[in-house]
């Protein structure tokens, strides 16, 4: 997630915090100190409520982190790479590379999160009970009570059966196992996800008008976040489906013109970018790709230097991210998205045979949608 900073590393996984998390930290501390704690433990000083509020909010985030760590550790053990966990205003996200290939893996990976929250709720409740009645009404017992309650709430909320919630993934894995179709399962689980999102928005608006302004707004926001995330996970799978089975070689620009590394930047701009409508040009020597130079690379160089700078000094050098012409288009799109690239050279037996850009993929999608699906490409005669 962008605009987040790293705070540490646990079990080989980077832990990051998004700036919206700080807002949540303040809001939650404030609502605990001003509302929740004075209600369940009346008669304490304002300072005590604030200290308890901040501790409660921080321990809530530790709880969320443990929930996410459970997902990540299972994912890691099942061979999926986990890059990082980021805490943000609505909770935490694990940045996991790839998707589980079997429904059983998705089921286990998803269910451990809510289970962890449930166990945490039990542990905090156990401590709360162990304190005994003489401490009831004190700050410590209030914090423990809150943590038991909020972890229970996290477990229940996350097991609701709609994407992108854990329960939605559980539902998807069950339908996936039963039907053998990931896209059918995703469609159903994202539909229930959108329904849950809308219900939360309705509930939030209702609360808002019955006087609970902040709480209502909060619930409506979570509902909106869920329904849009459900929609985008449905879109992602349908995109994968549309692109799956199409080869990179069928969509790429074949035989892109290679440029010599000694050409000046001004020549490149006029002859390649402007006259031939390109945004990226491969640089080759003897058929082997040496690097790539893009509009973005040129933009970094002041115009008065264009005449006496060769593209060799501004190009991105090999090794570059590349794809093979027999690769699936869905795989290539993932590579572009993951590394924030606009285009990628296409190789066959180590030699440059084409260039695949995001624009090529979009063009394919537009034409295939307009004409109905086009594949497979006929074998050339
Ligand atoms: Zn979870």
């Amino acid at each position: 997630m962008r605009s987040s900073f790293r705070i540490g590393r646990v079990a080989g996984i980077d832990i990051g915090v998004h700036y919206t998390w700080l807002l949540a930290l303040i809001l939650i501390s404030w609502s605990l100190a001003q509302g929740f704690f004075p209600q369940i433990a009346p008669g304490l000083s304002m300072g005590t409520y604030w200290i308890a509020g901040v501790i409660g909010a921080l321990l809530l985030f530790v709880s969320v982190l443990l929930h996410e760590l459970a997902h990540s550790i299972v994912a890691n053990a099942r061979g999926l790479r986990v890059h990082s966990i980021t805490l943000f205003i609505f909770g935490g996200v694990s940045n996991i590379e790839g998707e589980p290939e079997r429904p059983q893996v998705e089921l286990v990976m998803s269910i451990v999160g809510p289970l962890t929250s449930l166990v945490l709720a039990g542990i905090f409740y156990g401590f709360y009970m162990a304190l005994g009645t003489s401490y009831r009404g004190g700050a410590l017992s209030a914090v423990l009570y809150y943590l038991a309650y909020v972890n229970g709430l996290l477990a229940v909320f996350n097991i609701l059966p709609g994407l992108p919630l854990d329960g939605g993934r559980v539902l998807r894995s069950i339908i996936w196992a039963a039907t053998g179709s990931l896209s059918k399962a995703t469609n159903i689980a994202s539909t229930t996800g959108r329904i849950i999102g809308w219900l939360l928005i309705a509930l939030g608006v209702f609360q808002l008008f019955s006087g609970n302004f902040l709480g209502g707004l909060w619930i409506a926001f979570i509902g909106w976040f869920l329904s849009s995330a459900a929609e985008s996970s449905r879109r992602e799978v349908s995109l994968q489906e549309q692109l799956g089975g199409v080869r990179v070689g069928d969509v790429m620009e074949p035989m892109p013109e290679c440029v010599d590394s000694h050409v000046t930047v001004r020549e490149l701009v006029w002859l390649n970018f402007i006259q031939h409508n390109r945004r990226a040009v491969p640089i080759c020597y003897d058929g082997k790709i040496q690097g790539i130079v893009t509009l973005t690379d040129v933009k970094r160089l002041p115009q008065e230097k264009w005449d006496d700078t060769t593209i060799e000094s501004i190009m991105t050098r090999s090794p570059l991210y590349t794809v093979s012409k027999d690769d699936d288009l869905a795989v290539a799109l993932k590579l572009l998205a993951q590394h924030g690239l606009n285009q990628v050279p296409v190789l066959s037996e180590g030699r440059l045979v084409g260039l695949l850009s995001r624009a090529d993929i979009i063009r394919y999608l537009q034409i295939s949608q307009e004409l109905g699906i086009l594949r497979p490409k006929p074998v050339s005669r």
Side-chain angles (χ1 to χ4, degrees):
M1 199 178 277
R2 274 158 222 247
S3 336
S4 55
F5 50 91
R6 211 185 122 199
I7 53 167
R9 208 172 153 82
V10 181
I13 300 159
D14 280 336
I15 311 295
V17 162
H18 189 250
Y19 72 94
T20 54
W21 175 83
L22 292 170
L23 186 68
L25 181 68
I26 295 166
L27 275 175
I28 292 169
S29 308
W30 175 73
S31 68
L32 285 177
Q34 296 287 328
F36 191 78
F37 288 154
Q39 242 171 46
I40 64 162
L44 303 175
S45 76
M46 207 62 229
T48 312
Y49 286 137
W50 270 104
I51 293 168
V54 173
I55 292 174
L58 285 174
L59 285 176
L60 163 63
F61 286 111
V62 172
S63 304
V64 170
L65 185 60
L66 289 172
H67 172 119
E68 288 305 321
L69 269 174
H71 288 309
S72 293
I73 288 168
V74 172
N76 237 339
R78 300 296 171 119
L80 293 166
R81 255 189 77 200
V82 182
H83 293 287
S84 59
I85 293 173
T86 308
L87 296 175
F88 73 122
I89 191 159
F90 294 133
V93 275
S94 301
N95 177 10
I96 298 171
E97 192 173 302
E99 289 279 339
E101 292 192 342
R102 289 182 303 127
Q104 291 80 356
V105 176
E106 170 152 64
L107 178 71
V108 178
M109 229 174 89
S110 316
I111 213 160
V112 290
L115 279 180
T116 304
S117 298
L118 197 64
V119 169
L120 286 170
I123 291 172
F124 285 119
Y125 192 68
F127 279 129
Y128 169 75
M129 292 305 280
L131 268 186
T133 42
S134 52
Y135 287 95
R136 291 286 149 77
L140 180 60
S141 91
V143 171
L144 288 172
Y145 180 82
Y146 166 70
L147 288 168
Y149 165 78
V150 80
N151 272 295
L153 199 67
L154 275 178
V156 171
F157 178 69
N158 276 293
I159 207 69
L160 291 177
L163 282 176
L165 295 169
D166 297 332
R169 286 181 155 259
V170 170
L171 176 68
R172 174 165 81 172
S173 69
I174 292 168
I175 301 172
W176 182 11
T179 64
S181 164
L182 175 62
S183 64
K184 190 184 275 176
T186 306
N187 269 330
I188 296 172
S190 67
T191 304
T192 57
R194 270 182 295 168
I195 293 171
I196 290 168
W198 293 331
L199 287 176
L200 284 174
I201 294 174
L203 177 70
V205 171
F206 177 75
Q207 292 263 317
L208 213 145
F209 282 111
S210 47
N212 180 8
F213 188 78
L214 206 63
L217 203 64
W218 188 249
I219 294 169
F221 254 126
I222 292 178
W224 165 79
F225 172 75
L226 282 186
S227 64
S228 58
E231 174 59 20
S232 72
S233 55
R234 189 190 61 78
R235 250 194 246 136
E236 197 180 300
V237 169
S238 98
L239 187 65
Q240 295 283 330
E241 216 177 28
Q242 262 180 307
L243 297 180
V246 183
R247 292 176 337 134
V248 166
D250 298 340
V251 175
M252 69 182 188
E253 178 202 349
M255 303 297 160
E257 197 189 339
C258 257
V259 178
D260 186 272
S261 60
H262 297 103
V263 164
T264 67
V265 174
R266 185 173 304 281
E267 282 173 307
L268 172 87
V269 169
W270 280 98
L271 299 180
N272 297 93
F273 289 172
I274 295 174
Q275 271 194 337
H276 287 102
N277 187 30
R278 295 183 201 290
R279 303 178 69 86
V281 178
I283 293 122
C284 315
Y285 180 75
D286 200 17
K288 284 235 158 53
I289 185 159
Q290 289 182 300
I292 194 165
V293 61
T294 67
L295 223 56
T296 320
D297 297 323
V298 172
K299 263 195 261 173
R300 288 196 204 109
L301 187 75
Q303 277 211 34
E304 53 278 13
K305 292 191 179 160
W306 283 11
D307 280 316
D308 28 67
T309 309
T310 60
I311 54 178
E312 188 174 18
S313 51
I314 61 164
M315 70 182 187
T316 309
R317 286 169 192 279
S318 286
L320 303 164
Y321 291 107
T322 58
V323 290
S324 146
K325 76 183 194 353
D326 294 318
D327 277 346
D328 208 276
L329 208 50
V331 176
L333 179 65
K334 229 179 205 171
L335 180 90
L336 290 172
Q338 237 158 33
H339 301 286
L341 303 168
N342 282 316
Q343 62 280 310
V344 59
V346 184
L347 303 186
S348 174
E349 288 160 9
R351 297 185 88 80
L352 180 75
V353 293
L355 205 60
L356 178 77
S357 65
R358 283 182 191 228
D360 295 329
I361 299 176
I362 291 166
R363 195 182 53 234
Y364 165 75
L365 283 173
Q366 278 170 344
I367 294 178
S368 70
Q369 248 159 27
E370 246 176 80
L371 299 179
I373 213 73
L374 293 170
R375 65 171 180 260
K377 186 188 173 195
V379 182
S380 49
R381 274 169 284 196

